[in-house]
């Protein structure tokens, strides 16, 4: 059994349009993160999750936190060099 912690980021899904704009997920002060491009695409999150599940060893998976915003990890899986920054 392998147990790990994976943080796929804030992903642009249908639920985002139903959340209040001042809840911290969509952005402070009524800023709409969807329009500003701060939400991650489902495809990008899926690529990250696939890398974590398929390319890391059980030992790696059990011993770490896999955060999509971690620049060190991005070098291993983000082959298209897409700019991924944590929303403020």
């Amino acid at each position: 059994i392998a147990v790990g912690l994976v943080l796929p980021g804030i992903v642009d899904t249908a639920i985002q349009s139903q959340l209040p704009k001042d809840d911290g997920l969509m952005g402070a002060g009524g800023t709409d993160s969807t329009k500003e491009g701060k939400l991650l695409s489902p495809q990008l999150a899926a690529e990250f999750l696939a890398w974590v599940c398929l390319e890391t060893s059980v030992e790696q998976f059990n011993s770490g936190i896999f955060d999509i915003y971690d620049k060190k990890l991005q070098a291993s899986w983000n082959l298209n060099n897409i700019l991924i920054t944590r929303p403020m």
Side-chain angles (χ1 to χ4, degrees):
I1 296 176
V3 178
L5 177 59
V6 180
L7 307 170
I10 302 173
V11 181
D12 188 8
T13 63
I15 191 72
Q16 296 296 340
S17 65
Q18 299 173 17
L19 296 173
K21 289 186 176 31
D22 62 351
D23 68 355
L25 292 175
M26 295 297 282
T31 302
D32 187 342
S33 295
T34 303
K35 290 179 184 171
E36 291 184 6
K38 293 181 180 176
L39 300 178
L40 303 176
S41 72
Q43 174 69 29
L44 188 63
E47 289 174 15
F48 174 64
L49 292 169
W51 174 78
V52 171
C53 293
L54 301 173
E55 302 295 329
T56 62
S57 68
V58 173
E59 292 79 20
Q60 288 172 309
F61 188 73
N62 284 336
S63 66
I65 296 174
F66 295 90
D67 185 347
I68 196 167
Y69 300 112
D70 183 331
K71 299 290 184 203
K72 292 176 189 169
L73 289 179
Q74 287 179 23
S76 298
W77 69 270
N78 186 5
L79 302 180
N80 294 321
N81 294 318
I82 296 168
L83 179 62
I84 304 169
T85 57
R86 187 177 306 280
M88 297 289 177

